[in-house]
Amino acid sequence: GGGVHSAASMLQSDVAYTLRGLLKQEQELEAAGKRSALLRLLVQGSDAQESFQMLEIEEEAVEPVTGYSLDMAIWKLGLALEVDGPTHFARGSREPLGRTVMKRRQLQAAGMTLISVPYWDWDSKASEHDKRAQLAALLAAALKEKAQGPWIARVFPQGGRIRSAGGAGASASVGLPPQRAPPAGAKAS
């Protein structure tokens, strides 16, 4: 019912608010002459003024190639952030539905780098510091891997987590199987 969608939109609003706070924090550090490792990854050598124009977040954006709605996009970086609520997963599981998998694959094929934040791993009651640390870890992981081509960053509830000083963690892993070479002797089509 409406309760699931309402909770999901509250979750999306919380993630968007946290992302904006994280980028504002990075802007304040830059103004103080302290460029963070995350900001270096985000701006890739651009000057400060240019840098923050690059980091404009558009909410409820539409990706022009696929027509898919995105929760958040930073177009100049080719980043999309999706807050995946319960309706993106099979009932009672953490397995994404076919439509969610297809959307991810098509966005990747369109050149977007997708960061997925599933509802079970976002603690809206966590401190702002911990939530920013979680998003910073996801952004950093996505940007480090972006040079190798589009990928999907996912937050997992256990194992392989990147720890911050505040204790919040996130991990990122490729969400699609690697491309396999055709078997020896197979005819090219």
Side-chain angles (χ1 to χ4, degrees), residues 116-138:
S116 175
V117 181
Y119 71 97
W120 65 78
D121 204 43
W122 185 261
D123 182 1
S124 293
K125 294 179 179 136
S127 72
E128 204 55 36
H129 176 270
D130 286 351
K131 290 189 287 188
R132 285 180 185 177
Q134 184 176 4
L135 281 180
L138 282 171

PDB file of all heavy atoms in Angstrom, residues 116-138:
ATOM      1  N   SER A 116      23.560   2.108  -5.816  1.00  0.00           N
ATOM      2  CA  SER A 116      22.291   1.640  -5.270  1.00  0.00           C
ATOM      3  C   SER A 116      22.379   1.585  -3.754  1.00  0.00           C
ATOM      4  O   SER A 116      23.314   1.010  -3.210  1.00  0.00           O
ATOM      5  CB  SER A 116      21.981   0.244  -5.823  1.00  0.00           C
ATOM      6  OG  SER A 116      20.820  -0.266  -5.208  1.00  0.00           O
ATOM      7  N   VAL A 117      21.398   2.197  -3.097  1.00  0.00           N
ATOM      8  CA  VAL A 117      21.313   2.160  -1.638  1.00  0.00           C
ATOM      9  C   VAL A 117      20.027   1.410  -1.279  1.00  0.00           C
ATOM     10  O   VAL A 117      18.939   1.980  -1.345  1.00  0.00           O
ATOM     11  CB  VAL A 117      21.285   3.588  -1.026  1.00  0.00           C
ATOM     12  CG1 VAL A 117      21.227   3.512   0.493  1.00  0.00           C
ATOM     13  CG2 VAL A 117      22.488   4.397  -1.478  1.00  0.00           C
ATOM     14  N   PRO A 118      20.124   0.117  -0.932  1.00  0.00           N
ATOM     15  CA  PRO A 118      18.919  -0.625  -0.577  1.00  0.00           C
ATOM     16  C   PRO A 118      18.390  -0.195   0.797  1.00  0.00           C
ATOM     17  O   PRO A 118      19.161   0.167   1.683  1.00  0.00           O
ATOM     18  CB  PRO A 118      19.354  -2.080  -0.564  1.00  0.00           C
ATOM     19  CG  PRO A 118      20.825  -2.094  -0.605  1.00  0.00           C
ATOM     20  CD  PRO A 118      21.303  -0.727  -0.963  1.00  0.00           C
ATOM     21  N   TYR A 119      17.080  -0.249   0.930  1.00  0.00           N
ATOM     22  CA  TYR A 119      16.412   0.244   2.130  1.00  0.00           C
ATOM     23  C   TYR A 119      16.916  -0.408   3.404  1.00  0.00           C
ATOM     24  O   TYR A 119      16.957   0.237   4.461  1.00  0.00           O
ATOM     25  CB  TYR A 119      14.890   0.049   2.005  1.00  0.00           C
ATOM     26  CG  TYR A 119      14.448  -1.393   2.088  1.00  0.00           C
ATOM     27  CD1 TYR A 119      13.990  -1.927   3.282  1.00  0.00           C
ATOM     28  CD2 TYR A 119      14.483  -2.217   0.970  1.00  0.00           C
ATOM     29  CE1 TYR A 119      13.581  -3.250   3.363  1.00  0.00           C
ATOM     30  CE2 TYR A 119      14.079  -3.530   1.029  1.00  0.00           C
ATOM     31  CZ  TYR A 119      13.635  -4.041   2.234  1.00  0.00           C
ATOM     32  OH  TYR A 119      13.240  -5.348   2.307  1.00  0.00           O
ATOM     33  N   TRP A 120      17.338  -1.663   3.374  1.00  0.00           N
ATOM     34  CA  TRP A 120      17.720  -2.349   4.605  1.00  0.00           C
ATOM     35  C   TRP A 120      19.063  -1.889   5.155  1.00  0.00           C
ATOM     36  O   TRP A 120      19.413  -2.199   6.277  1.00  0.00           O
ATOM     37  CB  TRP A 120      17.725  -3.862   4.409  1.00  0.00           C
ATOM     38  CG  TRP A 120      18.757  -4.349   3.425  1.00  0.00           C
ATOM     39  CD1 TRP A 120      20.105  -4.505   3.640  1.00  0.00           C
ATOM     40  CD2 TRP A 120      18.528  -4.725   2.068  1.00  0.00           C
ATOM     41  NE1 TRP A 120      20.724  -4.949   2.507  1.00  0.00           N
ATOM     42  CE2 TRP A 120      19.771  -5.099   1.517  1.00  0.00           C
ATOM     43  CE3 TRP A 120      17.401  -4.788   1.259  1.00  0.00           C
ATOM     44  CZ2 TRP A 120      19.915  -5.517   0.207  1.00  0.00           C
ATOM     45  CZ3 TRP A 120      17.550  -5.210  -0.043  1.00  0.00           C
ATOM     46  CH2 TRP A 120      18.786  -5.574  -0.552  1.00  0.00           C
ATOM     47  N   ASP A 121      19.822  -1.157   4.354  1.00  0.00           N
ATOM     48  CA  ASP A 121      21.148  -0.767   4.836  1.00  0.00           C
ATOM     49  C   ASP A 121      21.273   0.727   5.105  1.00  0.00           C
ATOM     50  O   ASP A 121      22.363   1.210   5.354  1.00  0.00           O
ATOM     51  CB  ASP A 121      22.226  -1.224   3.846  1.00  0.00           C
ATOM     52  CG  ASP A 121      23.568  -1.380   4.545  1.00  0.00           C
ATOM     53  OD1 ASP A 121      23.591  -1.921   5.663  1.00  0.00           O
ATOM     54  OD2 ASP A 121      24.578  -0.942   3.979  1.00  0.00           O
ATOM     55  N   TRP A 122      20.179   1.457   5.020  1.00  0.00           N
ATOM     56  CA  TRP A 122      20.230   2.894   5.326  1.00  0.00           C
ATOM     57  C   TRP A 122      19.529   3.110   6.646  1.00  0.00           C
ATOM     58  O   TRP A 122      18.332   2.879   6.765  1.00  0.00           O
ATOM     59  CB  TRP A 122      19.556   3.709   4.224  1.00  0.00           C
ATOM     60  CG  TRP A 122      19.705   5.172   4.466  1.00  0.00           C
ATOM     61  CD1 TRP A 122      18.785   6.010   5.008  1.00  0.00           C
ATOM     62  CD2 TRP A 122      20.856   5.976   4.191  1.00  0.00           C
ATOM     63  NE1 TRP A 122      19.280   7.286   5.088  1.00  0.00           N
ATOM     64  CE2 TRP A 122      20.549   7.290   4.590  1.00  0.00           C
ATOM     65  CE3 TRP A 122      22.110   5.712   3.647  1.00  0.00           C
ATOM     66  CZ2 TRP A 122      21.453   8.338   4.461  1.00  0.00           C
ATOM     67  CZ3 TRP A 122      23.001   6.750   3.525  1.00  0.00           C
ATOM     68  CH2 TRP A 122      22.683   8.037   3.923  1.00  0.00           C
ATOM     69  N   ASP A 123      20.269   3.556   7.645  1.00  0.00           N
ATOM     70  CA  ASP A 123      19.701   3.809   8.966  1.00  0.00           C
ATOM     71  C   ASP A 123      19.391   5.291   9.079  1.00  0.00           C
ATOM     72  O   ASP A 123      20.274   6.105   9.333  1.00  0.00           O
ATOM     73  CB  ASP A 123      20.683   3.363  10.049  1.00  0.00           C
ATOM     74  CG  ASP A 123      20.138   3.541  11.453  1.00  0.00           C
ATOM     75  OD1 ASP A 123      18.981   4.004  11.603  1.00  0.00           O
ATOM     76  OD2 ASP A 123      20.862   3.214  12.404  1.00  0.00           O
ATOM     77  N   SER A 124      18.126   5.645   8.899  1.00  0.00           N
ATOM     78  CA  SER A 124      17.713   7.046   8.956  1.00  0.00           C
ATOM     79  C   SER A 124      17.934   7.645  10.337  1.00  0.00           C
ATOM     80  O   SER A 124      17.995   8.864  10.479  1.00  0.00           O
ATOM     81  CB  SER A 124      16.237   7.187   8.567  1.00  0.00           C
ATOM     82  OG  SER A 124      16.081   6.862   7.209  1.00  0.00           O
ATOM     83  N   LYS A 125      18.073   6.786  11.353  1.00  0.00           N
ATOM     84  CA  LYS A 125      18.285   7.284  12.714  1.00  0.00           C
ATOM     85  C   LYS A 125      19.764   7.439  13.050  1.00  0.00           C
ATOM     86  O   LYS A 125      20.109   7.927  14.114  1.00  0.00           O
ATOM     87  CB  LYS A 125      17.606   6.347  13.712  1.00  0.00           C
ATOM     88  CG  LYS A 125      16.091   6.356  13.568  1.00  0.00           C
ATOM     89  CD  LYS A 125      15.440   5.410  14.544  1.00  0.00           C
ATOM     90  CE  LYS A 125      13.937   5.493  14.344  1.00  0.00           C
ATOM     91  NZ  LYS A 125      13.292   4.223  14.330  1.00  0.00           N
ATOM     92  N   ALA A 126      20.643   7.035  12.145  1.00  0.00           N
ATOM     93  CA  ALA A 126      22.087   7.179  12.383  1.00  0.00           C
ATOM     94  C   ALA A 126      22.446   8.662  12.425  1.00  0.00           C
ATOM     95  O   ALA A 126      21.696   9.513  11.924  1.00  0.00           O
ATOM     96  CB  ALA A 126      22.873   6.478  11.279  1.00  0.00           C
ATOM     97  N   SER A 127      23.593   8.960  12.976  1.00  0.00           N
ATOM     98  CA  SER A 127      24.037  10.364  13.025  1.00  0.00           C
ATOM     99  C   SER A 127      24.303  10.849  11.603  1.00  0.00           C
ATOM    100  O   SER A 127      24.602  10.062  10.701  1.00  0.00           O
ATOM    101  CB  SER A 127      25.304  10.491  13.866  1.00  0.00           C
ATOM    102  OG  SER A 127      26.413   9.946  13.164  1.00  0.00           O
ATOM    103  N   GLU A 128      24.215  12.153  11.414  1.00  0.00           N
ATOM    104  CA  GLU A 128      24.495  12.733  10.099  1.00  0.00           C
ATOM    105  C   GLU A 128      25.930  12.401   9.688  1.00  0.00           C
ATOM    106  O   GLU A 128      26.201  12.119   8.522  1.00  0.00           O
ATOM    107  CB  GLU A 128      24.255  14.251  10.148  1.00  0.00           C
ATOM    108  CG  GLU A 128      23.951  14.884   8.837  1.00  0.00           C
ATOM    109  CD  GLU A 128      22.773  14.269   8.077  1.00  0.00           C
ATOM    110  OE1 GLU A 128      21.770  13.842   8.663  1.00  0.00           O
ATOM    111  OE2 GLU A 128      22.884  14.211   6.835  1.00  0.00           O
ATOM    112  N   HIS A 129      26.843  12.399  10.640  1.00  0.00           N
ATOM    113  CA  HIS A 129      28.243  12.061  10.376  1.00  0.00           C
ATOM    114  C   HIS A 129      28.364  10.653   9.796  1.00  0.00           C
ATOM    115  O   HIS A 129      29.059  10.423   8.800  1.00  0.00           O
ATOM    116  CB  HIS A 129      29.062  12.177  11.665  1.00  0.00           C
ATOM    117  CG  HIS A 129      30.487  11.745  11.507  1.00  0.00           C
ATOM    118  ND1 HIS A 129      30.892  10.440  11.718  1.00  0.00           N
ATOM    119  CD2 HIS A 129      31.592  12.425  11.129  1.00  0.00           C
ATOM    120  CE1 HIS A 129      32.185  10.345  11.490  1.00  0.00           C
ATOM    121  NE2 HIS A 129      32.640  11.534  11.130  1.00  0.00           N
ATOM    122  N   ASP A 130      27.670   9.688  10.415  1.00  0.00           N
ATOM    123  CA  ASP A 130      27.747   8.303   9.957  1.00  0.00           C
ATOM    124  C   ASP A 130      27.108   8.129   8.585  1.00  0.00           C
ATOM    125  O   ASP A 130      27.618   7.389   7.737  1.00  0.00           O
ATOM    126  CB  ASP A 130      27.098   7.362  10.964  1.00  0.00           C
ATOM    127  CG  ASP A 130      27.951   7.164  12.218  1.00  0.00           C
ATOM    128  OD1 ASP A 130      29.113   7.620  12.237  1.00  0.00           O
ATOM    129  OD2 ASP A 130      27.446   6.545  13.177  1.00  0.00           O
ATOM    130  N   LYS A 131      25.977   8.817   8.350  1.00  0.00           N
ATOM    131  CA  LYS A 131      25.322   8.707   7.045  1.00  0.00           C
ATOM    132  C   LYS A 131      26.194   9.338   5.954  1.00  0.00           C
ATOM    133  O   LYS A 131      26.313   8.788   4.859  1.00  0.00           O
ATOM    134  CB  LYS A 131      23.938   9.359   7.088  1.00  0.00           C
ATOM    135  CG  LYS A 131      22.953   8.572   7.942  1.00  0.00           C
ATOM    136  CD  LYS A 131      21.538   9.064   7.831  1.00  0.00           C
ATOM    137  CE  LYS A 131      21.316  10.367   8.525  1.00  0.00           C
ATOM    138  NZ  LYS A 131      19.891  10.754   8.582  1.00  0.00           N
ATOM    139  N   ARG A 132      26.816  10.464   6.259  1.00  0.00           N
ATOM    140  CA  ARG A 132      27.710  11.086   5.276  1.00  0.00           C
ATOM    141  C   ARG A 132      28.897  10.179   4.986  1.00  0.00           C
ATOM    142  O   ARG A 132      29.329  10.064   3.841  1.00  0.00           O
ATOM    143  CB  ARG A 132      28.200  12.453   5.773  1.00  0.00           C
ATOM    144  CG  ARG A 132      27.144  13.522   5.681  1.00  0.00           C
ATOM    145  CD  ARG A 132      27.661  14.847   6.166  1.00  0.00           C
ATOM    146  NE  ARG A 132      26.600  15.836   6.183  1.00  0.00           N
ATOM    147  CZ  ARG A 132      26.750  17.061   6.616  1.00  0.00           C
ATOM    148  NH1 ARG A 132      27.919  17.478   7.062  1.00  0.00           N
ATOM    149  NH2 ARG A 132      25.733  17.898   6.602  1.00  0.00           N
ATOM    150  N   ALA A 133      29.421   9.538   6.029  1.00  0.00           N
ATOM    151  CA  ALA A 133      30.558   8.627   5.846  1.00  0.00           C
ATOM    152  C   ALA A 133      30.156   7.453   4.946  1.00  0.00           C
ATOM    153  O   ALA A 133      30.930   7.020   4.087  1.00  0.00           O
ATOM    154  CB  ALA A 133      31.064   8.125   7.195  1.00  0.00           C
ATOM    155  N   GLN A 134      28.931   6.945   5.119  1.00  0.00           N
ATOM    156  CA  GLN A 134      28.453   5.843   4.292  1.00  0.00           C
ATOM    157  C   GLN A 134      28.359   6.276   2.830  1.00  0.00           C
ATOM    158  O   GLN A 134      28.835   5.575   1.934  1.00  0.00           O
ATOM    159  CB  GLN A 134      27.088   5.367   4.797  1.00  0.00           C
ATOM    160  CG  GLN A 134      26.551   4.170   4.054  1.00  0.00           C
ATOM    161  CD  GLN A 134      25.238   3.661   4.632  1.00  0.00           C
ATOM    162  OE1 GLN A 134      24.674   4.243   5.551  1.00  0.00           O
ATOM    163  NE2 GLN A 134      24.753   2.571   4.076  1.00  0.00           N
ATOM    164  N   LEU A 135      27.780   7.447   2.563  1.00  0.00           N
ATOM    165  CA  LEU A 135      27.683   7.939   1.184  1.00  0.00           C
ATOM    166  C   LEU A 135      29.057   8.270   0.611  1.00  0.00           C
ATOM    167  O   LEU A 135      29.323   8.009  -0.558  1.00  0.00           O
ATOM    168  CB  LEU A 135      26.774   9.160   1.104  1.00  0.00           C
ATOM    169  CG  LEU A 135      25.279   8.876   1.126  1.00  0.00           C
ATOM    170  CD1 LEU A 135      24.491  10.178   1.035  1.00  0.00           C
ATOM    171  CD2 LEU A 135      24.875   7.944   0.011  1.00  0.00           C
ATOM    172  N   ALA A 136      29.934   8.844   1.435  1.00  0.00           N
ATOM    173  CA  ALA A 136      31.286   9.167   0.967  1.00  0.00           C
ATOM    174  C   ALA A 136      32.011   7.898   0.528  1.00  0.00           C
ATOM    175  O   ALA A 136      32.689   7.884  -0.499  1.00  0.00           O
ATOM    176  CB  ALA A 136      32.077   9.888   2.057  1.00  0.00           C
ATOM    177  N   ALA A 137      31.856   6.817   1.292  1.00  0.00           N
ATOM    178  CA  ALA A 137      32.503   5.552   0.935  1.00  0.00           C
ATOM    179  C   ALA A 137      31.948   5.017  -0.383  1.00  0.00           C
ATOM    180  O   ALA A 137      32.704   4.528  -1.236  1.00  0.00           O
ATOM    181  CB  ALA A 137      32.315   4.528   2.057  1.00  0.00           C
ATOM    182  N   LEU A 138      30.637   5.114  -0.579  1.00  0.00           N
ATOM    183  CA  LEU A 138      30.036   4.652  -1.830  1.00  0.00           C
ATOM    184  C   LEU A 138      30.500   5.485  -3.017  1.00  0.00           C
ATOM    185  O   LEU A 138      30.840   4.948  -4.069  1.00  0.00           O
ATOM    186  CB  LEU A 138      28.513   4.719  -1.739  1.00  0.00           C
ATOM    187  CG  LEU A 138      27.846   3.598  -0.975  1.00  0.00           C
ATOM    188  CD1 LEU A 138      26.363   3.906  -0.780  1.00  0.00           C
ATOM    189  CD2 LEU A 138      28.023   2.291  -1.714  1.00  0.00           C
TER     190      LEU A 138
END
